[in-house]
Amino acid sequence: MLPMELRERTVQRSVCQMVCLIAAQFVFLMSGAAVFMWLERGTAQEGYRKTLVLQDAFGKGFSFSDETLPPAAEHAWDFISTLYFSITSTTTIGYGHSSPETAHGQIFCILFSLMGIPLHMVTLGSIGKHLSSLVSRFLDWAAGRYMVKGQGRKDIGTFLVTSSLLGLFVIFSAGSVRLVMGDVSYVEAIYFIYVTISTIGFGDFVIRFEQHEDYNRVMILIMWAVSLYVGMTLLSATIVSISARARQSYRTVFDYWDMLVLRKAYKDAHRPHHDDEEERQEEFILVDKKFLIAQLDLQTDPTKRAEIQKWLDAYDLSSESEESSPEWMSNTPSEVSEPIPE
């Protein structure tokens, strides 16, 4: 099988796995919503009835009959509300606007979240993997077109692409949130979106589905769920790109420090004992070359191996010149001009 065909089959299998995970999570959420509605709806409506009876008895101005319930009671733990609760449970948002009251509902909530949270994480990871693959392909195309090379620049490019997509998503979603929630400012809408997609879920702003008609409630839930998964994917990709860049910077700094420490230890172990200045300098150069050869054997990164090889070539071209030594290996002039104490 040709490498191109193998790559295409791998991509097809990965896409198929992602679609299967999305379908599995959809079925899981729908099933959980149906069970929650069956366990909690009767208890919730009975609680509303008792509350309204008490309010009517104390003269709060409410007229109550067993045949009619207010919209809030009618929509309490119906399928839309329970599906909304199921999504906030498996994504660990947990606004706190509703919670199961029956013992059976609480036990089922524990079991449901134990299975739903890992499924959500795997699904989100699969979607994020394909998003990162698309961004990587775009950056490879841009690098080939504009001759931009280097892993560091690619990490920066990934961060710029994902953060730009995240910013556009938040800006456009904030307008939709204002249309749905109505009485929030633009800043509060952005705040609500971030608190939601980051799964913080303070609960100070929550979409109230009972305030809308049935058709609008379905459309709002679909738009909210799609926006939630898109936003969480973009945010996780942005955080991963920041972490990758920070890890690369951390590794570069400490690799440089380790090189200096190891070189000093290697030189101390192979300290030359020649009185002649030229022989001492040649011995120092030989020790440096031995140290670089040892590092070349231990190094697995192709980029760093090429850099070490370049330093070795510089020694071979001009082994008698002080300028041939790499800049990072130049400590102080006294290292070669003053004798080393015994």
Side-chain angles (χ1 to χ4, degrees):
M1 184 180 295
L2 296 176
M4 185 61 68
E5 295 178 357
L6 181 60
R7 181 178 180 181
E8 290 179 356
R9 289 197 176 185
T10 303
V11 171
Q12 291 175 359
R13 178 187 298 178
S14 181
V15 171
C16 182
Q17 290 176 351
M18 182 186 68
V19 173
C20 291
L21 285 171
I22 294 174
Q25 186 163 18
F26 176 78
V27 173
F28 182 79
L29 291 172
M30 299 289 282
S31 303
V35 175
F36 276 121
M37 183 176 67
W38 176 61
L39 292 174
E40 296 292 329
R41 184 168 173 78
T43 303
Q45 291 189 348
E46 185 63 27
Y48 269 104
R49 285 190 176 91
K50 292 180 180 179
T51 302
L52 292 175
V53 168
L54 291 174
Q55 290 174 343
D56 190 23
F58 284 97
K60 299 294 185 179
F62 295 93
S63 59
F64 169 71
S65 64
D66 289 336
E67 291 78 15
T68 61
L69 286 173
E74 287 290 343
H75 296 315
W77 290 95
D78 63 355
F79 189 75
I80 299 297
S81 300
T82 53
L83 184 57
Y84 183 47
F85 174 78
S86 299
I87 295 174
T88 57
S89 298
T90 55
T91 56
T92 69
I93 296 174
Y95 289 125
H97 65 291
S98 63
S99 59
E101 298 179 2
T102 64
H104 295 88
Q106 292 168 355
I107 293 173
F108 178 74
C109 183
I110 295 173
L111 299 176
F112 180 77
S113 61
L114 282 175
M115 294 183 290
I117 292 174
L119 178 60
H120 163 72
M121 298 300 292
V122 173
T123 305
L124 188 66
S126 179
I127 298 173
K129 178 182 176 181
H130 284 83
L131 176 63
S132 300
S133 178
L134 291 175
V135 172
S136 180
R137 290 183 183 181
F138 170 76
L139 293 176
D140 290 340
W141 171 82
R145 184 178 180 85
Y146 299 104
M147 303 300 291
V148 179
K149 297 181 179 180
Q151 182 63 34
R153 294 182 179 180
K154 188 174 181 180
D155 292 338
I156 296 175
T158 303
F159 166 72
L160 292 176
V161 172
T162 54
S163 59
S164 299
L165 292 174
L166 179 63
L168 291 174
F169 165 80
V170 171
I171 290 173
F172 284 106
S173 298
S176 302
V177 168
R178 293 194 65 193
L179 291 175
V180 173
M181 302 181 71
D183 56 346
V184 297
S185 65
Y186 199 81
V187 174
E188 289 173 337
I190 293 176
Y191 165 78
F192 167 74
I193 292 170
Y194 177 77
V195 167
T196 298
I197 64 177
S198 61
T199 70
I200 297 174
F202 290 124
D204 46 355
F205 293 97
V206 180
I207 297 178
R208 300 294 179 180
F209 287 93
E210 63 271 11
Q211 300 174 356
H212 302 275
E213 299 294 332
D214 290 340
Y215 174 76
N216 292 334
R217 294 173 72 227
V218 174
M219 295 304 298
I220 291 171
L221 180 62
I222 293 174
M223 292 176 59
W224 174 82
V226 172
S227 300
L228 172 65
Y229 283 97
V230 172
M232 292 178 69
T233 303
L234 291 174
L235 180 62
S236 62
T238 304
I239 294 175
V240 167
S241 64
I242 295 174
S243 302
R245 183 57 186 167
R247 188 164 52 250
Q248 183 68 25
S249 301
Y250 169 87
R251 193 175 298 161
T252 300
V253 171
F254 280 90
D255 281 355
Y256 178 81
W257 176 257
D258 290 342
M259 276 284 194
L260 293 179
V261 173
L262 288 173
R263 173 184 174 267
K264 181 66 169 60
Y266 195 90
K267 276 196 169 185
D268 289 342
H270 300 78
R271 185 177 300 214
H273 301 282
H274 297 285
D275 295 333
D276 189 282
E277 182 64 27
E278 292 185 0
E279 291 183 357
R280 289 184 70 254
Q281 187 171 355
E282 290 178 359
E283 187 68 21
F284 269 122
I285 292 175
L286 181 60
V287 169
D288 281 341
K289 290 180 66 175
K290 288 181 178 179
F291 173 74
L292 289 175
I293 292 172
Q295 291 298 312
L296 187 64
D297 294 337
L298 297 175
Q299 190 59 251
T300 58
D301 188 354
T303 304
K304 293 183 179 180
R305 286 180 61 88
E307 189 175 357
I308 294 174
Q309 187 62 49
K310 182 171 63 176
W311 293 339
L312 284 172
D313 294 340
Y315 273 126
D316 293 335
L317 289 175
S318 180
S319 60
E320 296 180 358
S321 175
E322 293 181 2
E323 297 179 356
S324 64
S325 180
E327 183 178 353
W328 69 275
M329 284 192 167
S330 300
N331 291 337
T332 58
S334 62
E335 179 176 313
V336 295
S337 59
E338 297 180 1
I340 297 177
E342 296 295 337

